[in-house]
Amino acid sequence: MSQNLIVAKFGGTSVADFAAMNRSADVVLSNPDVRLVVLSASAGVTNLLVALAEGQPLEQRAALLDDIRRIQYAILDELKQSQVIREEIDRMLDNIATLAEGAALATSAALTDELVSHGELMSTLLFVEILRERDVTAQWFDVRKVMRTTDRFGRAEPEVATLAELAAAQLKPRIAEALIVTQGFIGSEEKGRTTTLGRGGSDYTAALLGEALHAGRVDIWTDVPGIYTTDPRVVPAAKRIDVITFEEASEMATFGAKILHPATLLPAVRSDIPVFVGSSKDPSAGGTMVSNKTENPPLFRALALRRKQTLLTLTSLNMLHARGFLAEVFNILARHNISVDLITTSEVSVALTLDTTGSTSTGDSLLTQALLTELSSLCRVEVEENLALVAIIGNELSKACGVGKDVFSVLEPFSLRLICYGASSYNLCFLVPGQDAEQVVQALHRNLFE
C-alpha cells in the first residue's frame, strides 16, 4: 500500500470556510490513494491566536476570541449534525480563553505554542465531520502522538528516527482501515508539551509523515495552481513551472517563495518522494511536480523575494591579517541560536544577513541586547533593518557567461546593499531597500522571463 499512499496537505485558505472545506473534501475523495490528510488552521485563525499569545488586555482579548469563534462557527453551523462536535469546539474555545488570560499575565514561547496549536486542532475536527456527513470512514488523529520534536518552542526540530517509529506503530495501522485527518505545524516534545515547527510548518509535517510512512507522493494543496516564476501578486505576467527539481524548489522556498516551507523538501529529497503542488480552488488547472530530475533545466528558473531582512555589518581593524575573528563571531551567533543567511567579507569587516521571518515565538527578535553587547565587545556593530532579499534561482549560474550583464544592467537604477554570487550555482542574491523590492522583481522578471 505504501508505494501508492498519498499524503495530502491543505493550507489555511483551503479550509477557510465551509465551501473551501467541501472543495478540499472533493479533492481528497477524487483519489483513493489519499489515505492521510494534513490540515492547517482555517485562514486567519493562527494570526488571531498569535495576537492572543502576545498578552492582550481584556477588551482586545474578547474581540480576538469573538473573531476566532465566528470563523469556526461559520463552518460548524453549516453541518447537518453540528451538535456532534459543537461541544468539542466550545471546549477548545474555552481552552483558548484560559490560555489567553495566562498570556496576559506572562507570555512565554511554550504558552504561545500551546495556544496556537488550537487552530489546527479545530480545523481537523470540523473537516472529519464534513467527511463523515458524506459517509466516509474518516478518523481524527492527534499528530502530537507521533510528531516528536525538540523543545525549541516556536521553531521546534523534528526527531526523525522517533517520528518514524511512532508513525509505524500508531499511524500505519489506522491508515489501513480509515481515511486519517491530522494536524500540520504542531508536535510535542519529550515531556508531552505542545511545540510548533514555525510558520508554514504544515508542509513540513506532510513531508515528514510522507517520509515516515514511505509514501509514494506528497500533495500540497494551496490557493495557487503550482509554483510560478515569481509571485503572481507582484508580477501578474509570472508563468507556471510544470516540472521543477528539488534543488530549484528548495532554493525558491529558502529565499522566500511562499508556496512551500523552506524545510518541506528535506524529507522528500532524502526519501526521493515527488511533491505535487496544486490549487484546491481549481484542481483541474494542474500544478507543479517537484522531483529529483528534470529535462533541460533552464539557466534562469525563477525569482524569489524575502522581506524583513536585517543586515549586520561588523567592523574591526584587528581583523586585518588576524586569525580567528570570524570564528569568534560565529561562536557568539551560535550561542544565541542564530543562523546566518548570506555573508560577504573584506579585510576589516564582515556583512551578514539574518532572516527575521518564520518563527511563531512572540517578542522573539533575533537581535537581543545581550547579542549586540557581546558582538560590540569584539567589533563595531551596524544594524540595518527593513531590507529585502531578492534571489535569482537558476542552474549552473556560476559557470554561465554574461549572467552579470543580464542582471546588473537591469538593476542600475536601484541601490544594492549586498551581493552574493558564486557560493551556489543555483542562486544569485542581493539585498535591496524594502521599498524597492517589488520594482526590482518586476524589472528582473521583464528582462529574464518575458
Side-chain angles (χ1 to χ4, degrees), residues 45-253:
V45 171
T46 300
N47 289 339
L48 294 165
L49 290 166
V50 168
L52 284 171
E54 284 164 0
Q56 304 289 346
L58 188 59
E59 222 165 284
Q60 274 95 315
R61 229 166 44 229
L64 291 165
L65 281 163
D66 280 348
D67 284 348
I68 296 170
R69 185 177 285 109
R70 186 178 42 73
I71 293 169
Q72 305 297 224
Y73 263 49
I75 303 168
L76 192 59
D77 291 341
E78 295 270 355
L79 292 168
K80 293 187 195 77
Q81 298 189 314
S82 64
Q83 70 282 6
V84 180
I85 58 158
R86 191 177 293 270
E87 212 172 292
E88 194 63 22
I89 296 289
D90 283 341
R91 195 176 61 75
M92 295 218 169
L93 291 166
D94 289 345
N95 230 356
I96 292 168
T98 309
L99 290 163
E101 208 174 311
L105 299 172
T107 60
S108 80
L111 177 71
T112 298
D113 279 4
E114 181 64 45
L115 222 173
V116 170
S117 70
H118 284 72
E120 277 68 18
L121 296 170
M122 290 190 291
S123 67
T124 45
L125 280 166
L126 291 162
F127 195 70
V128 166
E129 221 42 55
I130 280 175
L131 289 170
R132 285 182 180 156
E133 288 197 349
R134 296 180 176 211
D135 297 323
V136 177
T137 309
Q139 261 184 40
W140 185 83
F141 182 79
D142 189 338
V143 80
R144 292 173 295 186
K145 290 179 177 168
V146 299
M147 186 60 68
R148 184 60 49 78
T149 71
T150 59
D151 63 0
R152 189 180 171 200
F153 298 100
R155 279 193 180 202
E157 284 297 317
E159 292 178 351
V160 178
T162 314
L163 163 61
E165 283 169 34
L166 293 169
Q170 301 203 42
L171 255 182
K172 216 168 188 164
R174 285 184 166 88
I175 284 170
E177 58 198 40
L179 176 59
I180 303 299
V181 177
T182 195
Q183 306 77 33
F185 173 61
I186 67 176
S188 68
E189 45 86 80
E190 204 180 1
K191 295 176 187 155
R193 292 177 297 174
T194 299
T195 56
T196 63
L197 303 173
R199 294 306 283 268
S202 294
D203 295 346
Y204 194 17
T205 302
L208 284 162
L209 292 174
E211 178 181 48
L213 296 163
H214 309 294
R217 198 173 77 214
V218 173
D219 289 352
I220 306 276
W221 295 98
T222 156
D223 51 358
V224 210
I227 298 175
Y228 281 68
T229 45
T230 195
D231 185 341
R233 286 166 300 197
V234 177
V235 180
K239 305 175 179 72
R240 185 172 69 216
I241 303 165
D242 292 328
V243 185
I244 190 171
T245 62
F246 280 127
E247 279 88 355
E248 293 168 321
S250 46
E251 290 277 339
M252 285 181 72

Side-chain angles (χ1 to χ4, degrees), residues 332 335-336 366-377:
I332 292 171
R335 279 201 295 279
H336 289 267
L366 293 177
L367 292 174
T368 58
Q369 202 45 57
L371 168 66
L372 293 175
T373 306
E374 210 172 328
L375 285 171
S376 300
S377 67

